[in-house]
Amino acid sequence: SDPSDQPHAVAATPAAARFVFVGGLHRSGTSLLAELLKAHPEVAGQVIDGMPKELEQEGQHVQRVYPVDDALGGPGAFAHNPLAHMTERHPLATAASAARLEADWAPHWRGVEGAKVRLEKSPSNMLRARFLQALWPNSYHLIIVRHPVAVAFATAAWAARHGGGKRAASAASVVECARHWLRAHDLLLADLSSLTNVRIVRLEEFVSSPDAAQRTIDAICADLGLRRVAVGELEAAAGRGAISAGVNRKYWRACKDEAEAVHTALGALEPRFAAFGYPLASLDPAASAAPAEPSRNRLGTFRGRGCLRRWRWPRRPLPHPRTARLASTTWRWFACSAEAPSRRWLSSS
């Protein structure tokens, strides 16, 4: 048989085409970080014409190799789906998969001339970094993390707005999203020791001051061999305002105002949050962010075994009421847009 169809066969990627993959849970700051880096003159990013705003210019939506987040359960749920966790042992970790991804993404790169790296951002990259590393061994993985309670409130509220139902998040959905944060980051921790080029960025540290943001960007540029660019220049080029340090303020207020049942449930999870450096009290905006130089791996490492489960493509997005409307947007865009990939794989069995 063709060796490119065998698991673990990898594709060689020239240094000039090095891939940078940005990942992290929804509402964790992936878009902020990716947009700033895409504004760097030596970074090529993706611009997907006609893509709905909700889909955030994410490369996952214009490829035919792995399932998109919405098909796995959507924001606040996808990490519970075994199909989301992909490693170098996955049957699709082949040179053929790398070639197909490159072909699917090729029409959407902007700023390729003079670029040293190509950046793709999708939240679930945090759970398939080992898989992507198997396809491109010199790829660089940038994972951004945020306080789990802030992510839980933000994701539950966002999902409620996009779910076509209630405008406010329920207490149960907040707790569910907090548990999802733990599941996703447990998987990430188990994968870190298998990754060669990875950097963890804490959102709270990144936005704590202009100097902290500059240190983080400088460290990433040094990792990638890119020239130093001031954060203010990147903000202007990306069309963004200045980075705000108060990213968690409203979620601290929301947490204090929640019912006793939510406090009890979140309190029971606090020891696990604290193990990642996020005790509940650290959500308080009065708590100072550590000004330390961003390190290669601020979460610690554990050795873990990848998910070996074999699977089949879902015929449609898995039912998930809080993301039904967003999933519908994705599939309507697939059905109507010439920019979207062929849908034959969506119904293959």
Side-chain angles (χ1 to χ4, degrees):
S1 61
D2 185 343
S4 68
D5 292 330
Q6 299 305 313
H8 319 304
V10 298
T13 303
R18 187 179 190 185
F19 281 100
V20 175
F21 294 103
V22 176
L25 288 187
H26 298 82
R27 321 313 294 168
S28 291
T30 54
S31 294
L32 167 65
L33 187 57
E35 287 176 20
L36 290 177
L37 291 173
K38 283 160 62 174
H40 192 291
E42 295 177 322
V43 176
Q46 292 178 326
V47 177
I48 304 164
D49 296 332
M51 176 173 277
K53 183 179 179 181
E54 301 97 311
L55 303 186
E56 298 275 356
Q57 296 290 310
E58 292 169 358
Q60 64 171 326
H61 298 296
V62 287
Q63 54 76 40
R64 295 167 290 177
V65 173
Y66 46 77
V68 299
D69 297 348
D70 295 325
L72 297 171
F78 71 86
H80 292 302
N81 191 322
L83 309 188
H85 187 213
M86 300 175 71
T87 76
E88 66 281 349
R89 296 184 144 189
H90 198 284
L92 285 176
T94 67
S97 294
R100 169 164 281 186
L101 283 169
E102 292 191 22
D104 288 343
W105 288 336
H108 309 292
W109 297 116
R110 298 295 184 272
V112 172
E113 186 175 351
K116 293 183 177 180
V117 301
R118 300 185 182 193
L119 184 147
E120 190 278 321
K121 185 272 286 188
S122 295
S124 52
N125 284 346
M126 70 181 294
L127 300 187
R128 56 174 168 264
R130 288 170 61 185
F131 170 79
L132 295 169
Q133 178 178 263
L135 270 53
W136 297 285
N138 67 339
S139 57
Y140 179 83
H141 303 271
L142 193 54
I143 313 297
I144 188 163
V145 298
R146 184 184 186 184
H147 197 294
V149 176
V151 170
F153 275 98
T155 304
W158 181 85
R161 288 195 304 272
H162 288 79
K166 301 179 295 182
R167 306 294 291 182
S170 69
S173 66
V174 170
V175 175
E176 178 188 348
C177 287
R179 293 194 176 103
H180 176 256
W181 189 101
L182 288 168
R183 172 60 177 166
H185 289 79
D186 282 342
L187 290 171
L188 173 64
L189 274 179
D191 285 350
L192 282 177
S193 62
S194 299
L195 296 173
T196 303
N197 303 304
V198 60
R199 178 173 290 275
I200 304 297
V201 174
R202 289 188 186 269
L203 179 66
E204 293 80 7
E205 293 178 11
F206 180 50
V207 304
S208 61
S209 70
D211 287 344
Q214 189 67 63
R215 283 195 301 270
T216 299
I217 295 297
D218 287 350
I220 294 168
C221 289
D223 289 346
L224 295 170
L226 307 178
R227 68 178 176 85
R228 185 182 188 275
V229 176
V231 169
E233 293 180 31
L234 297 179
E235 290 170 341
R240 299 189 63 95
I243 295 173
S244 170
V247 291
N248 290 341
R249 187 173 294 118
K250 67 179 179 180
Y251 302 114
W252 172 248
R253 292 197 299 266
C255 186
K256 291 195 297 183
D257 293 342
E258 272 298 339
E260 185 64 30
V262 175
H263 280 280
T264 300
L266 293 177
L269 298 175
E270 180 169 22
R272 296 182 64 192
F273 297 155
F276 289 94
Y278 282 119
L280 290 180
S282 67
L283 187 63
D284 185 347
S288 59
E293 178 73 16
S295 67
R296 174 182 177 276
N297 173 4
R298 298 187 66 84
L299 289 181
T301 58
F302 295 89
R303 186 171 300 279
R305 297 182 63 185
C307 172
L308 307 182
R309 180 186 177 102
R310 291 183 176 269
W311 45 271
R312 300 169 63 187
W313 289 107
R315 290 185 178 272
R316 63 189 64 180
L318 302 181
H320 196 270
R322 294 187 296 105
T323 57
R325 182 177 173 186
L326 182 60
S328 176
T329 299
T330 307
W331 292 77
R332 283 200 307 273
W333 183 70
F334 274 166
C336 301
S337 175
E339 295 292 330
S342 166
R343 291 184 301 147
R344 287 179 297 174
W345 62 272
L346 298 174
S347 61
S348 64
S349 59

